[in-house]
Amino acid sequence: MTVKRPSSMVWAVLALGAGSQLAQIVLLRELLTVFYGHELSIGLILAGWMLWVGIGSGFAPAVRRPMRAARWTAAGVLLLFPVTILGLRWLRAGFDVMPGMHLALLDLAWSGTLIVAPVCILLGIHFVLLASAWGRRHAGDPVRGAANTYYVEAVGNACGGMLFTLLLVHYLTALHLAAVAGALMLAVLPAGRRRMWRMAPLLVVLSFPWLGRLDTWATGRQWRLAAPDQTLIDSRQSAYGPIAVLRRADQFNIFQSGHLVTSFGADAAAVVFEEQSAANLAHVVMTQHTDPGRVLLVGGGLRGVLRDVLRHPVETVDYIEINPVLLAAGEAVTSRTTRDALRDPRVRVLTTDGRLHVKRADTHYDLMLFDVPDPSTAVLNRYYTREFFAEAKSRLAPGGVLALRLSGGDLRGRVTANRNAAVYHTMRGVFPRVLALGEADTMLVAGVDTPGTITADVAELQRRFMERGIDTPAFSAHHFSLLLDPSRVRRMNWILRHHGRHPEAHRAPPETGPLIAPSLEDQEAADADLPPVAERVFINSDFRPIGYVHHLALWNRTTRSRAPQWLDHLPDAHWNRGIPVLVAIVIVALGLRFLAPPRRRMRWSVRYAVLTAVFTTGFSTMMLQVALLFAFQGVYGYVYERVGMIVALFMAGLAGGAFIARTLMPPKTGLSLLAGVQLGVALFTVGIAFVLPVAGRLDVPWLVFTFFAGITFFTGMLCGADFPLAIACLSEISNNPGHVIGRVYGLELIGACLGAVAASVVLAPVHGLTVTCLLAASMNLVAFIVCLPAIIPASAAGAGDAGIRRVSG
């Protein structure tokens, strides 16, 4: 036997867990930069990751010397991981897509999935090899070896995730992390007779300076391919994604994880041009309040909005920018007037999450302005939901105004009208009066609880502006006439009021309405006669982010994809269409138990029950994990380190559950124990479905984190117990127990792959987090029902196999 000491296997599996977690995080970040990522791409990337790891483990070859083969798979990861990162950074060059333009969904899916395949397959094979080696150490007991490998790898996953989010992300580049992951996996394996394996980690350490230079060069090359007409000025790492500052002629553009965050002029002449957009937004919003003394501004500070807000007689301005690295990078290249605004004594710069600040603020603001991007991600969608509007309203002083900006003021298109109408109707559900203003490319939505404050009356806004004595070359009182054409404002509000009042409204373009739209006063008076809003499709909430779904449809329209616009039909996806599939799974179980040949029916029934439990556990676990992450981000805020801890806690719970199952497992494990775990997971998940909305009302950050941490840990414990129990049950009836490990692990990951796609693309955004949790519970409940026929004593079906009786009993 190759392994001599017990600790050597522990360290090898821990290194696999930590290395694979680092690989997943690094590749995910790189892919998000390439694809201008959002949750849909995250779901597809994770699904591709689990698919290939599952395939690698499911088809891992049986070898006589698994530790010797493990050295080669670890060396393969060490070599291929950095190459994969370089390939990802140059991936966009292979597509005919303009700089700054999103890739089509199909391009994103197939390219992102294929490019990570080699590394993922090697990681899957490496897992099976280590499990086989550990099983041989237990006198050929594959059950103990697989259980040990499973829970120790989960511990390594948790350690790797915590290490990355709290330490490594701040100091190491992607190529450094790739080298560390591969070297770690290789360094802890016994070197065998060939001492050259000992040299690999040392060579990696010696190559650190060269890896840093290579990473810098590769980043520059990546942006030259993605934006050939721009020059990379600065590149920085941050906990919220890599920051890149690019220059194009007289304009600076700042990107975070591939997203264009802000743009501003590079010299005095360009600043005047850039001032126009920021000035239009700032002055139209600031004049919506008669006396805006206390102001909250989220975003927009670097592009000049803060500068123009300060031209009004404000007392204090709380300016929020979540990423301090982005703020520092932008401040280094922005104009002098913007830097002066950031240092104004009336300004308090806060590096925190804007939504979290609103939840915890002890200040009541006269005006809140959110200059944040469109709801292109579920995280950004948090600023456009019913719960957020209610939180903001509670932090407004009497007569206070909430204002936000959306792109796309032209509402003739169906997908743009769907998204903007969803935001409009959601705000109107919280604020008694909502007003939409804007031009063809921008729409401003403002809400207030006091009549007579917000207005589209050009003369009134001009009066307020001139009374404040504001003098700026970028804006004057005459701009109100240009920006707020009365006929456009009336028609915009008429379309938003009427669109979305039929359950099928999202399928058709908005009504054009009368030739001359009624006045805003007449429209408000006629509100009582309108049908109710179709809440399922046009009310955006934290636990059912339909606004994010509408924006995905808009994103898909702007890509070069020639495929059918299937994202347009996501709101029509009904969760109950999966019920026939669940019923069919149960019918097959009954057929195998009572209609199969007598000599095989019990064996087939047990195998089918165990594999169903494994698949549904992977599927439902990933659905539940996606739901918890969506809920945590919506309730707690966009705090990456905390989300990383949540994932680490899930993996720690997974390890604990697997350890408990391995420790308490009887010598001949019964299928009834596996069935009990399925029922326990189902009941626990049902409880989560009804408790999550309660968590949304918590406003104490540490209590929110403790709540989600506890739920996540216990969810991981229940799910972690499934793997060793399934291995034990199948090993009892298998002629080749060594193959069971890879098949069970691969099937669980493939189930998780499908669960990630289903939850992130359809269930969580369209049907909400409560429905997602209930469907996850139903999957485990079906697995429990499928196990029941196989638990019936073998004598009842005429089967006399003693091993089968032990499993079923």
Side-chain angles (χ1 to χ4, degrees), residues 579-595:
I579 293 178
V581 177
L582 300 180
V583 173
I585 293 174
V586 175
I587 292 175
V588 171
L590 294 174
L592 290 175
R593 182 64 180 87
F594 298 106
L595 301 179

Side-chain angles (χ1 to χ4, degrees), residues 7-357:
S7 60
S8 62
M9 284 309 311
V10 173
W11 287 113
V13 179
L14 280 174
L16 167 63
S20 62
Q21 191 65 37
L22 288 176
Q24 186 181 93
I25 294 173
V26 170
L27 291 178
L28 182 63
R29 286 162 63 93
E30 293 293 327
L31 281 164
L32 290 179
T33 302
V34 173
F35 296 137
Y36 303 155
H38 39 66
E39 282 74 10
L40 178 58
S41 60
I42 291 175
L44 292 173
I45 292 165
L46 289 178
W49 173 277
M50 288 177 286
L51 173 66
W52 290 115
V53 173
I55 290 175
S57 60
F59 292 93
V63 294
R64 294 180 58 187
R65 298 180 179 179
M67 291 305 295
R68 181 178 181 181
R71 286 193 288 270
W72 286 106
T73 54
V77 172
L78 176 61
L79 293 175
L80 290 178
F81 193 1
V83 174
T84 302
I85 291 176
L86 296 177
L88 284 172
R89 294 189 178 179
W90 304 333
L91 183 63
R92 287 181 65 90
F95 296 96
D96 183 18
V97 57
M98 295 180 63
M101 185 176 179
H102 292 275
L103 266 69
L105 178 64
L106 292 179
D107 293 338
L108 184 155
W110 73 260
S111 61
T113 300
L114 287 179
I115 200 165
V116 301
V119 171
C120 293
I121 291 174
L122 287 176
L123 290 172
I125 295 174
H126 197 73
F127 174 89
V128 176
L129 293 173
L130 293 183
S132 178
W134 209 333
R136 293 188 180 191
R137 185 183 176 278
H138 280 288
D141 185 356
V143 177
R144 293 292 177 181
N148 289 340
T149 306
Y150 187 77
Y151 84 79
V152 174
E153 188 208 22
V155 173
N157 287 146
C159 294
M162 294 286 286
L163 189 65
F164 174 84
T165 55
L166 299 180
L167 180 65
L168 298 181
V169 67
H170 302 289
Y171 301 104
L172 298 182
T173 67
L175 289 179
H176 284 133
L177 289 169
V180 167
L184 183 64
M185 291 173 56
L186 190 58
V188 298
L189 293 174
R193 296 180 179 178
R194 299 185 180 182
R195 299 298 177 184
M196 66 176 185
W197 297 109
R198 296 292 189 191
M199 298 298 296
L202 178 61
L203 292 176
V204 168
V205 173
L206 294 176
S207 66
F208 254 48
W210 297 100
L211 287 173
R213 297 177 184 177
L214 179 61
D215 190 274
T216 302
W217 175 81
T219 301
R221 180 64 178 169
Q222 175 186 13
W223 284 107
R224 281 195 295 273
L225 294 171
D229 58 343
Q230 302 186 44
T231 303
L232 181 65
I233 301 299
D234 190 9
S235 177
R236 309 185 185 191
Q237 293 293 325
S238 78
Y240 301 92
I243 304 298
V245 181
L246 283 79
R247 179 167 181 168
R248 178 183 180 183
D250 295 328
Q251 176 176 293
F252 283 113
N253 299 312
I254 300 183
F255 294 82
Q256 177 176 296
S257 294
H259 279 288
L260 177 62
V261 178
T262 187
S263 299
F264 43 83
D267 54 35
V271 167
V272 175
F273 175 78
E274 290 295 329
E275 278 182 348
Q276 193 62 63
S277 174
N280 291 347
L281 175 66
H283 295 300
V284 170
V285 170
M286 293 299 292
T287 52
Q288 292 299 320
H289 197 285
T290 55
D291 185 20
R294 291 160 298 183
V295 177
L296 172 66
L297 173 64
V298 178
L302 293 175
R303 76 184 190 100
V305 177
L306 176 62
R307 178 180 57 225
D308 283 281
V309 165
L310 292 172
R311 299 186 192 277
H312 293 257
V314 297
E315 299 172 6
T316 60
V317 178
D318 286 346
Y319 167 57
I320 293 179
E321 183 60 67
I322 185 173
N323 192 346
V325 177
L326 185 147
L327 187 63
E331 192 173 358
V333 295
T334 192
S335 66
R336 179 184 57 81
T337 54
T338 297
R339 290 195 295 270
D340 291 343
L342 291 170
R343 295 175 177 84
D344 192 290
R346 294 171 294 173
V347 175
R348 183 172 61 156
V349 179
L350 304 172
T351 53
T352 184
D353 177 72
R355 172 103 185 241
L356 187 60
H357 175 78

